[in-house]
Each structure stands twice: as structure tokens, then as C-alpha cells.
Amino acid sequence: MVNIKDIAKAAGVSISTVSYALNGVDKVNEKTRQRIIKIADDINYIPNRAARTLKTKATDVIAIYLADFGGNFYGRLLDALKISLEKYHYEMIVCTGIKSHRFLPEQMVDAAVILDWKFTTEDILKYTHMGRKFVVLDREIDSDLVGQILVDNYHGVELVLSRLTETKTDKVFIISGPKNSFDNEQRLSHSVEWLESHAIDYEVLEGKFTELSGYFAAKQLVKAYQGQPLKVISLNDEMAVGVYRYLLNTDLTIGKDILIAGFDNSEMGQVVTPRLTSVGYEIDQWSDMIATMLNAMLNDQAAEKLWLPVHLTEGGSLG
Amino acid sequence: MVNIKDIAKAAGVSISTVSYALNGVDKVNEKTRQRIIKIADDINYIPNRAARTLKTKATDVIAIYLADFGGNFYGRLLDALKISLEKYHYEMIVCTGIKSHRFLPEQMVDAAVILDWKFTTEDILKYTHMGRKFVVLDREIDSDLVGQILVDNYHGVELVLSRLTETKTDKVFIISGPKNSFDNEQRLSHSVEWLESHAIDYEVLEGKFTELSGYFAAKQLVKAYQGQPLKVISLNDEMAVGVYRYLLNTDLTIGKDILIAGFDNSEMGQVVTPRLTSVGYEIDQWSDMIATMLNAMLNDQAAEKLWLPVHLTEGGSLG
DNA sequence: CTGTTAGCGCCTTCAA
DNA sequence: TTGAAGGCGCTAACAG
């Protein structure tokens, strides 16, 4: 593998001159720089990252941690993050599994974005004290050293429930998600709080954030139907779509007999009829906030805790 | 950040003794080894990966390259690969984007699995000659230095078409996928060959491997329907499910008026009614083959070209 | 403007 | 069984 020494030899200069030339340090004659660059190019020189990292203590690589690659929700965020991080010249890698957490103390990556409930807060704090930088998207941490950018689920719940209960409401059905999901916990607990404080009855149907689990929840809904429109808040869109699908086999219709809203403003929800009313947020905005904060933190600015704004996209599913 | 030197000082030995002790080299007194290990543990020592890589020229990290994280995100394969690679003690990272291709010549990763049509064969061969190892899943390469493990689409097409044409067949509709997909190209070209060699008429409806594109293709099918069952090969399951969905709005039914089979044996296809007949293959087998071959190649054994076996899972969609 | 040199943290040969 | 020392490839003072 060709290295800086080979170039120096070929160019008849010292290795430091090569290093300066290649790194654009303004210390070397323009002509020799061009000559060196040409040679480097000709022999296909690419710097060894390990050596550079060892010296500079920085990799400019940011790792995104996921619990697993199942489901297909995080695809859009990952693609957006890739673009946002590139604006700051960071390279992105995606990791999963406990063992890969080592990359941080090993100094193989400078920082991490956490979307992985298996990555313990304890470890995050430990590595933070080793100089690694973190932005978490899936938990609240009581530390001003850890960046936090969270979907504003509180506001989202309020938007849905106040809209859903504009007309007289005896009861609201909540289709919940899996226990280990931060978003589920937030949406669920705030829904319950909101409904209790407004003295509205509710019932929780347990789901898993999958279309299939929404499909099964819909069976319960149909059973509960007694001639009056049923009001439902589904804690994500996929499950709401499952409800749509189940209702195709019945004579109940969305927007009339079943009034339902979801979260995430997913593509799926935009395609069904009537379109699903959903709490949305801008993925690109999220990824830009993340990249900007990481960049700030890597330049020794303070971490922050921010909420990602949400809005209600109205379809016809609330009538 | 604590290093080998700190441990040496704390233990009152030299750094080489520490290195031996920690790496299990059988050269150091068992008692001092235990003492050293204890100290390393106490002060939370974790070796610096850049330094080790620089010295050993190996990272034990394998990169998986994807074109993007959207659409047909290969979640199941990635999760399986993670497990298979762990058996050989390799770490896995997932990368996307042209710039991250640099990780290979930079020697940040030892090997790569390619599922990314944007990663050119030219670059793969170039990096191969620099000592990096590759297994490609999305193309055939005329080189015995590059590992290749491909879904046996030829056999898959034969299984579907011979089954589909058991009864008298005038014409077969093919719902194709996107141009840049290797699997699409193989399935499509072999379908055409097979049908031509059997003197059966065919028509290609262009799709994109998405449910929505299948939905649109179904409109064409319905137009073409003239009282006789229509025979359809969908080059993946998602599009076939799109056909199911569209037909819900019509009075044609799958398994009677429309006979359809797909590829990939996806979860979605197992849930619809009637279940979708589909060409399946074992993801775990695929990931094990990949990990085993990579491990062999990294131990200087020859690369191979293998085909992943397929089988036909019968649902009711062919009647 | 260019060269010499001292490490970064680790592994490993050679010597004791 | 342990230690000293060289070097992996690169960067960045410091000299010249």
C-alpha cells in the first residue's frame, strides 16, 4: 500500500513537505505542491486513516446506533442524516448490537446518535466523560453534556386529542405501541394525563407499532361499536393503517363510524382513503438539528435539549 | 484516555508485559497477568483501535454497503448478517454514499459486502488489488478474487413459470422492478427467455418493487381482463401485494381471476388472503454463507461464486 | 519554503 | 519471564 514516504521519494522531497502539500497547509511552493499532488494522484495515494486518527485524535466519523434493522421507520431519518452530516464533512456509519458500542471508547468514532434502547444511559454518560459526544433521540437524560432532540409528543397528543374531542366525547380508545419505545411511552402517558384532566373515559388497546397489531386492535373496536362514532388515537400511523385494512371486511367506515388519527405522518397514511389525520414533523429539520448540534458539540460548544416541532396534518379520517 | 503505559506504571512492569498479558500471549507469569488484568479492568482500559490497526493492519470490521436506507431496506438480511459475522468475531458497520467507499483504501475496514449498485465494479476490483476483500450480492463479476453469492433467480423463475403454465396458457404478464436492480434484471431477462423458448406470449408492466407500483400495474391487468384467468409473475412480493390491494376495489379475485406469484417470500405475502405463492430463500443461510466466505477470504482462501438455493412456497394465489 | 524529528498507542523482535 | 526498542503512517512543532 502506497504511503507518504513513497510520494516523498518519487518527488524528491521530504515527507513533511508531502504532508503539507496534501493537507493544503500554506507553507509549500505552489509548483512543488502541484507536482506532489500529481504524483499522489498518479500512484493512487489514499492516506491511512488509522495513522491519521492516531495522530489527530479525531476521525470525523459519527455512528448512528439502532436496536435493530427491522421495521422500516428509520430509513428516511438515516438518509436525511447522511445528507445533513455531509454538510459538516462527517462520515456516517450505522451500527447495531452491544459489542459495537466499543467503537466509542476505542475512539473509532467521534460521536454517536442514539436511537437504541439497548444502549444504556449509564454507558452514554461513561463515554461522555471519556470525551465522546452524544445526541440521543430516544430518551430524556438529566445531563447537560448529552444532546437531546426529541419529537414534541406532548404537543402532538394535545393537537390530536383537542381536535378529536371538539364534539361531545364520552370515551377515547388509545392504540398503544411497544413498551420499550420512548415515543410510545410519552404519547401514551400524556394521552392518559390529558384525558383524565378533561374527565374523559379511555381504554387502551395494546399494539406493537406494526400494521398487524393495528389490524387486531380493530377487532376490539368493532366489538365496542354501538351505533355511535368511536374516537381513536393510534400512537403511530402503521397501526392506524391496520385498522383501515381490517375495516374493509366490515361495514364500518373510517371518518364516519371510526374517527382515528395517528402519529408520524407516514407515506402509508397519505395513500389510504380517506387520508389519515396524523401528527407530523419534518425529518429533514430533525436531521439538520442533529447534525448542527453534533458539530457544535465537537467544537466544544454546549449540548442542548431541543424539541422537534410537530403539526397536525388533516386527512379525512376524523370526519 | 488511559493507555497501556498507564497500566504498566500502575503495575510496575513494562508496557510489553502489559501487552502480552492483555493479549493472552503465553509469556507472562500467571500471577502478574492476573494483576495486570485487574488493574486494566479497574481503570477501565480499552485499547485504542487506531493504534492497533496501524500496527496489525487489520480491523476485524466488515462494512455492508447499501445504496440507501429507503424503500426496500434490507432489514432482515442486515440483522442476520450481524449475527453470522459475530460468530467469526467480526464487527459490522453499515454504510451508504460514495464518500464512504474510502473506508476500504483507507484500511478502516478489512472487507465489504456490496448491495449497492452505486459501488462500481471498477472500484471493487481496484480495492481488491489493494488487499481488501469483497463479497457482492448484487452483480456478477468476472473475477475469481471477488466473492459472489447470488439468489438463484434462474431457478426461481423456472419454478414459478412452469407452475403457472401447467394449464393452457396464452399469455403471461410480468410486473417488473426498477432498472438498477440486479435481481430485477435477472428475473426479467430469464422470464422473457423462458417464455420465448416455450412460445408463450408475454407483456411487461413496469413497476418499481414498491407496493404502490404494483397497485398501478393492477389497473392494467383489470383492463386486460376478458373473462379468462390472467397469469401474472410479479418480480417481487411487494408489488404483488399492491395488486391484491387494488383488486379489493374491483370484483376480480386473486386465485380465480388473477393468478399471481411473487419473489422473496416476504411477511406481507404471508398475511394476505389468499396467501401469496412466492419464490423464497433462507435469509439465515444467505448470511451464513456470506460470513463464512468472508472469513475464508480474510484467511487467504480463494473467493467463490455461489448461488443461494430457492424454493417455491405455495399459497392460494395460483388457484 | 523545506527538512528533521518527535511522538500518537500498540505490537513484537531481540536481548537480558 | 520480563524489558528495551523499533516501527506502523501520519502530523506538526522546530530548525534551517
Side-chain angles (χ1 to χ4, degrees):
Chain A
M1 193 72 63
V2 30
N3 63 21
I4 209 176
K5 228 182 197 163
D6 300 324
I7 300 178
K9 207 184 301 168
V13 297
S14 79
I15 58 165
S16 55
T17 302
V18 174
S19 177
Y20 290 139
L22 260 30
N23 289 320
V25 178
D26 187 25
K27 272 186 156 198
V28 67
N29 186 307
E30 189 53 29
K31 246 188 265 172
T32 55
R33 138 168 302 141
Q34 291 304 338
R35 196 159 52 87
I36 288 171
I37 289 178
K38 170 117 181 42
I39 293 173
D41 228 53
D42 286 349
I43 59 182
N44 264 308
Y45 169 74
I46 295 197
N48 178 303
R49 184 182 285 264
R52 174 175 284 174
T53 298
L54 183 57
K55 184 68 188 176
T56 63
K57 307 273 165 229
T59 62
D60 285 354
V61 175
I62 288 169
I64 318 298
Y65 283 91
L66 304 179
D68 59 64
F69 291 102
N72 66 345
F73 168 69
Y74 295 118
R76 276 166 63 211
L77 179 58
L78 291 175
D79 283 329
L81 264 175
K82 166 101 206 135
I83 292 169
S84 297
L85 289 172
E86 240 162 35
K87 291 180 195 160
Y88 294 99
H89 306 292
Y90 294 117
E91 222 20 275
M92 171 180 118
I93 66 177
V94 182
C95 307
T96 177
I98 309 270
K99 285 185 60 199
S100 66
H101 298 179
R102 291 177 61 87
F103 288 155
L104 286 145
E106 282 176 349
Q107 303 174 63
M108 190 198 183
V109 302
D110 294 345
V113 175
I114 308 296
L115 208 65
D116 175 3
W117 57 272
K118 291 177 182 163
F119 206 127
T120 67
T121 297
E122 192 188 339
D123 280 346
I124 291 173
L125 291 172
K126 187 161 81 188
Y127 300 148
T128 294
H129 291 303
M130 290 176 164
R132 305 295 99 186
K133 310 293 183 182
F134 288 85
V135 168
V136 300
L137 310 183
D138 65 346
R139 71 196 70 190
E140 291 187 79
I141 296 184
D142 188 19
S143 160
D144 51 7
L145 297 175
V146 179
Q148 301 167 57
I149 308 185
L150 311 165
V151 174
D152 191 351
N153 289 310
Y154 291 131
H155 189 216
V157 163
E158 278 175 26
L159 286 174
V160 170
L161 289 181
S162 53
R163 172 72 177 76
L164 197 60
T165 58
E166 273 172 4
T167 56
K168 182 172 169 304
T169 306
D170 297 325
K171 180 172 180 177
V172 168
F173 289 87
I174 304 169
I175 306 182
S176 69
K179 288 273 183 294
N180 57 36
S181 156
F182 172 74
D183 284 325
N184 172 63
E185 290 299 328
Q186 277 210 321
R187 292 166 189 175
L188 179 58
S189 67
H190 197 56
S191 292
V192 167
E193 276 170 29
W194 195 96
L195 290 166
E196 285 181 347
S197 75
H198 287 71
I200 297 175
D201 194 18
Y202 64 88
E203 179 174 343
V204 178
L205 305 176
E206 289 188 15
K208 296 176 180 174
F209 274 177
T210 62
E211 183 173 339
L212 205 59
S213 68
Y215 186 91
F216 289 128
K219 291 190 185 180
Q220 308 286 102
L221 291 175
V222 170
K223 260 187 228 159
Y225 183 76
Q226 296 184 319
Q228 291 302 310
L230 250 42
K231 299 190 173 185
V232 185
I233 176 172
S234 172
L235 300 190
N236 82 350
D237 280 1
E238 275 187 78
M239 298 190 297
V241 171
V243 172
Y244 274 70
R245 195 178 286 236
Y246 182 76
L247 291 192
L248 287 174
N249 308 324
T250 72
D251 46 8
L252 299 186
T253 57
I254 298 279
K256 189 164 76 63
D257 308 309
I258 306 277
L259 309 181
I260 189 169
F263 280 80
D264 300 336
N265 207 4
S266 68
E267 208 169 71
M268 209 57 159
Q270 301 307 300
V271 175
V272 293
T273 313
R275 279 188 29 222
L276 178 64
T277 292
S278 181
V279 175
Y281 40 87
E282 303 306 320
I283 295 278
D284 294 344
Q285 184 184 6
W286 204 3
S287 66
D288 277 341
M289 288 165 75
I290 295 165
T292 303
M293 189 180 293
L294 275 174
N295 183 247
M297 291 171 70
L298 286 169
N299 288 295
D300 294 319
Q301 291 182 248
E304 286 179 88
K305 175 169 178 174
L306 301 178
W307 296 95
L308 180 66
V310 299
H311 52 82
L312 194 68
T313 305
E314 292 262 1
S317 65
L318 295 184
Chain B
M1 193 73 62
V2 30
N3 63 22
I4 210 176
K5 228 182 196 163
D6 300 322
I7 301 177
K9 209 183 302 169
V13 298
S14 78
I15 57 167
S16 53
T17 303
V18 174
S19 177
Y20 290 140
L22 260 30
N23 289 320
V25 178
D26 187 24
K27 270 186 156 199
V28 68
N29 187 306
E30 187 55 28
K31 246 188 266 170
T32 55
R33 139 168 301 143
Q34 290 304 339
R35 198 159 50 86
I36 288 170
I37 289 178
K38 170 117 182 42
I39 292 174
D41 229 50
D42 285 350
I43 59 181
N44 265 310
Y45 169 74
I46 295 195
N48 178 303
R49 184 182 286 265
R52 174 174 284 176
T53 298
L54 183 57
K55 185 66 189 178
T56 63
K57 307 272 167 231
T59 63
D60 286 353
V61 175
I62 288 169
I64 319 297
Y65 282 92
L66 304 179
D68 59 66
F69 291 103
N72 39 1
F73 183 50
Y74 297 99
R76 275 166 65 211
L77 179 58
L78 291 176
D79 283 330
L81 263 175
K82 165 102 207 136
I83 292 170
S84 297
L85 289 172
E86 239 161 35
K87 292 180 195 162
Y88 294 100
H89 305 291
Y90 294 117
E91 223 19 275
M92 171 180 119
I93 66 176
V94 182
C95 307
T96 178
I98 308 270
K99 284 185 59 198
S100 66
H101 297 180
R102 291 177 62 88
F103 288 155
L104 287 145
E106 282 176 349
Q107 303 174 62
M108 190 199 184
V109 303
D110 293 346
V113 176
I114 308 297
L115 207 62
D116 175 3
W117 57 272
K118 291 177 182 165
F119 207 128
T120 66
T121 297
E122 191 188 340
D123 280 347
I124 291 174
L125 291 172
K126 186 162 82 188
Y127 300 148
T128 294
H129 291 303
M130 290 177 166
R132 305 296 99 185
K133 310 292 182 181
F134 288 86
V135 168
V136 300
L137 310 183
D138 66 345
R139 72 195 71 189
E140 291 186 81
I141 295 184
D142 188 21
S143 158
D144 51 8
L145 297 175
V146 178
Q148 301 169 57
I149 309 186
L150 311 166
V151 173
D152 191 352
N153 289 310
Y154 290 132
H155 189 215
V157 163
E158 277 173 27
L159 286 173
V160 170
L161 290 181
S162 54
R163 172 71 177 77
L164 196 60
T165 58
E166 274 171 4
T167 56
K168 182 171 168 303
T169 304
D170 296 325
K171 180 170 179 177
V172 168
F173 288 87
I174 304 169
I175 306 182
S176 70
K179 289 274 183 295
N180 57 35
S181 156
F182 172 73
D183 284 326
N184 172 63
E185 289 299 327
Q186 276 209 322
R187 291 166 190 176
L188 180 57
S189 66
H190 196 57
S191 292
V192 168
E193 277 169 28
W194 195 95
L195 290 166
E196 285 181 347
S197 75
H198 287 70
I200 297 174
D201 194 18
Y202 64 88
E203 179 173 343
V204 177
L205 305 176
E206 289 189 15
K208 295 176 181 176
F209 274 177
T210 62
E211 184 173 339
L212 205 58
S213 67
Y215 186 92
F216 289 128
K219 290 191 185 180
Q220 307 288 102
L221 291 175
V222 170
K223 259 187 228 159
Y225 183 76
Q226 296 184 319
Q228 292 302 310
L230 251 40
K231 300 191 173 185
V232 184
I233 176 171
S234 171
L235 300 190
N236 82 349
D237 280 1
E238 276 187 77
M239 297 190 296
V241 170
V243 172
Y244 274 69
R245 194 180 285 238
Y246 182 76
L247 292 193
L248 287 174
N249 307 325
T250 71
D251 45 7
L252 298 188
T253 57
I254 298 279
K256 189 164 76 63
D257 308 308
I258 305 277
L259 309 181
I260 188 169
F263 280 80
D264 300 337
N265 207 5
S266 69
E267 208 168 71
M268 208 57 161
Q270 302 305 300
V271 175
V272 293
T273 313
R275 280 191 26 225
L276 178 64
T277 292
S278 181
V279 175
Y281 41 87
E282 303 306 320
I283 295 279
D284 293 345
Q285 184 184 5
W286 202 5
S287 67
D288 277 341
M289 287 165 74
I290 295 165
T292 303
M293 188 180 294
L294 275 174
N295 183 247
M297 291 170 70
L298 286 169
N299 287 296
D300 293 321
Q301 292 182 248
E304 288 179 87
K305 175 169 177 173
L306 301 177
W307 295 94
L308 180 66
V310 300
H311 52 80
L312 193 68
T313 306
E314 292 262 2
S317 65
L318 295 184

